[in-house]
Amino acid sequence: MEVNSRCCQEKPQPPWPLLAQPHAWQSLWRKTTQFLGFLSVKARDVRVMKLYLIRHGETVDNVAQLYAGVRDSPLTVQGVLQAERLGRYLRTSEKPVTHIFTSDLQRAVKTAESLLSAQPEHNETAHLNFQRQPILREQDFGFYEGKPFYTRQRDSKKPGKDTHRSQHQDEPGFQDVESKKSMMARTNTFVAEHIQPLILGNCSEQKPVVAIVSHGIILSHLWRSILGIFSKNTVALANGLSVGSGGVTTLEHLGGWSNTGYLELEITYAVVGTVVQWKATEARAVASPKSPVEADERYPLGLPSTFKMLIKTVNGKDHLRGLKRARGVGSSQYDEGQKKIESFFKKTKVIEGE
């Protein structure tokens, strides 16, 4: 039998010729780790913005239980103390605030100024970005401005205000309360003109910390306007955060705001490598509102799904722990002539605050 000598002399070939080359395994390992590293970086989120939605401090009309929407009710002594506490709390718990937007009503402005004065002296950014915005005013209660709260009548299923309205709406000079549609038009416009540009303009630059000081009802609408620009399943509650009955709630209704209570939000963007890439053409249109949009309303575009929002705190009040109320004095209007409020209480008998 003849044997093919050429066949016997040839060396067997490896199944993958590439691996037989010098340093082939090292090359393959390097490429594999680069790919795995790409996957891990792709899933990384970086913070774009920290956002605080803050209600003003306690007012004279709050204590008197009067309707105060556009009515310019001043802060009480207790309200100023609350605002000062919040300013110090934000200074020690977060990077310096870079932008402060406030309603132009004095109860919001004074609260916002307390936040500003608590900032580090070298923080010129917050001073340059302190804006009074009439669009952030509270709901206009019309006929009810300055009037006491109306309780529900026992024999009626309507709220006391609705019953009272039906009795007086035909009177001369009656002015109805501002509609929800009007308030949403205001908050949508504010988000489109101020919040969205900050989010989209700071993906790879400064990471702003924004404080918005306003009023309880309009803040609820502002929250819904902000929520509306995020894609489905990109908004989440922080671990351990329990809101609503039994810890269950809809994102649209997170609850109310106590005096100087705040909603803390963190907005992030998914980064590939070390470069943030975003194009204006990626913006999606938010679903049109059910009712026609106000003529002067700017409806914001939705953000790409690469943007996420984490709800970190709902009605935050940690800054109010241990705050006392002076008996009889805490509910009175704050006097600008007082040198230092807290020194005013050193020898004053106190009772627990609300």
Side-chain angles (χ1 to χ4, degrees):
M1 177 181 297
E2 293 184 1
V3 179
N4 189 329
S5 59
R6 181 181 178 184
C7 178
C8 295
Q9 293 174 358
E10 289 182 351
K11 295 181 180 180
Q13 296 295 318
W16 300 295
L18 175 65
L19 299 183
Q21 300 177 8
H23 309 297
W25 285 105
Q26 294 91 328
S27 176
L28 178 62
W29 175 253
R30 184 173 61 255
K31 292 179 179 179
T32 302
T33 54
Q34 287 175 349
F35 175 72
L36 293 175
F38 168 78
L39 292 180
S40 63
V41 171
K42 185 177 182 180
R44 182 171 61 92
D45 291 339
V46 296
R47 195 178 92 182
V48 173
M49 175 189 290
K50 177 67 74 68
L51 184 60
Y52 291 94
L53 273 58
I54 303 167
R55 187 188 177 199
H56 58 78
E58 180 190 82
T59 69
V60 172
D61 284 352
N62 288 157
V63 176
Q65 296 188 328
L66 302 178
Y67 284 106
V70 296
R71 174 181 164 94
D72 207 5
S73 179
L75 293 179
T76 62
V77 173
Q78 184 75 2
V80 175
L81 283 173
Q82 292 169 340
E84 289 184 344
R85 282 289 195 94
L86 179 59
R88 291 196 297 270
Y89 179 81
L90 292 183
R91 175 175 178 171
T92 58
S93 64
E94 185 51 80
K95 293 181 179 179
V97 173
T98 60
H99 297 73
I100 299 177
F101 297 95
T102 176
S103 158
D104 64 338
L105 297 176
Q106 65 170 314
R107 57 189 184 273
V109 171
K110 295 300 182 184
T111 302
E113 287 176 344
S114 291
L115 304 186
L116 183 63
S117 63
Q119 292 298 300
E121 293 182 0
H122 63 274
N123 183 18
E124 297 180 356
T125 306
H127 290 264
L128 294 175
N129 292 293
F130 186 95
Q131 297 187 31
R132 294 174 174 84
Q133 293 285 335
I135 203 170
L136 292 174
R137 286 185 176 187
E138 180 61 297
Q139 179 183 24
D140 187 342
F141 291 117
F143 175 82
Y144 300 97
E145 289 284 342
K147 293 183 172 62
F149 296 159
Y150 296 100
T151 58
R152 184 191 301 270
Q153 297 181 5
R154 292 183 179 181
D155 58 346
S156 175
K157 295 182 179 180
K158 294 182 179 180
K161 187 175 66 174
D162 290 349
T163 301
H164 192 272
R165 176 180 179 276
S166 63
Q167 297 172 350
H168 295 273
Q169 60 183 351
D170 295 328
E171 294 180 1
F174 179 85
Q175 180 185 348
D176 208 347
V177 299
E178 183 181 7
S179 67
K180 293 180 180 180
K181 175 185 171 183
S182 173
M183 287 187 286
M184 282 303 296
R186 289 199 280 130
T187 56
N188 282 336
T189 300
F190 177 79
V191 170
E193 293 182 350
H194 299 284
I195 302 305
Q196 217 168 22
L198 279 175
I199 295 174
L200 300 179
N202 289 279
C203 289
S204 58
E205 301 173 4
Q206 177 189 13
K207 306 302 183 289
V209 178
V210 181
I212 302 174
V213 184
S214 189
H215 314 266
I217 297 176
I218 201 66
L219 281 173
S220 294
H221 287 77
L222 178 59
W223 158 242
R224 295 184 190 108
S225 292
I226 294 172
L227 181 63
I229 67 176
F230 284 85
S231 301
K232 186 178 181 181
N233 300 324
T234 62
V235 180
L237 293 168
N239 292 333
L241 186 62
S242 177
V243 291
S245 177
V248 179
T249 186
T250 60
L251 290 177
E252 291 82 3
H253 303 91
L254 289 178
W257 272 262
S258 301
N259 291 128
T260 65
Y262 59 86
L263 177 65
E264 180 184 5
L265 308 170
E266 185 172 86
I267 300 171
T268 58
Y269 181 86
V271 176
V272 177
T274 58
V275 180
V276 177
Q277 294 181 341
W278 182 86
K279 297 179 180 179
T281 54
E282 295 179 11
R284 59 181 176 82
V286 176
S288 299
K290 295 180 180 179
S291 57
V293 178
E294 299 280 343
D296 59 347
E297 176 185 4
R298 286 190 58 190
Y299 210 73
L301 291 175
L303 297 171
S305 59
T306 45
F307 285 91
K308 300 177 182 179
M309 180 165 62
L310 181 65
I311 304 168
K312 301 193 70 174
T313 309
V314 175
N315 195 24
K317 296 184 291 184
D318 287 348
H319 59 288
L320 298 179
R321 290 179 181 176
L323 179 63
K324 308 293 184 178
R325 177 189 292 276
R327 188 186 300 275
V329 179
S331 299
S332 62
Q333 180 176 345
Y334 170 65
D335 180 3
E336 293 281 359
Q338 291 174 214
K339 292 183 179 180
K340 186 66 178 177
I341 297 178
E342 290 190 339
S343 65
F344 180 81
F345 292 105
K346 285 183 178 179
K347 297 183 179 180
T348 306
K349 186 177 180 180
V350 296
I351 59 175
E352 292 294 333
E354 296 177 351

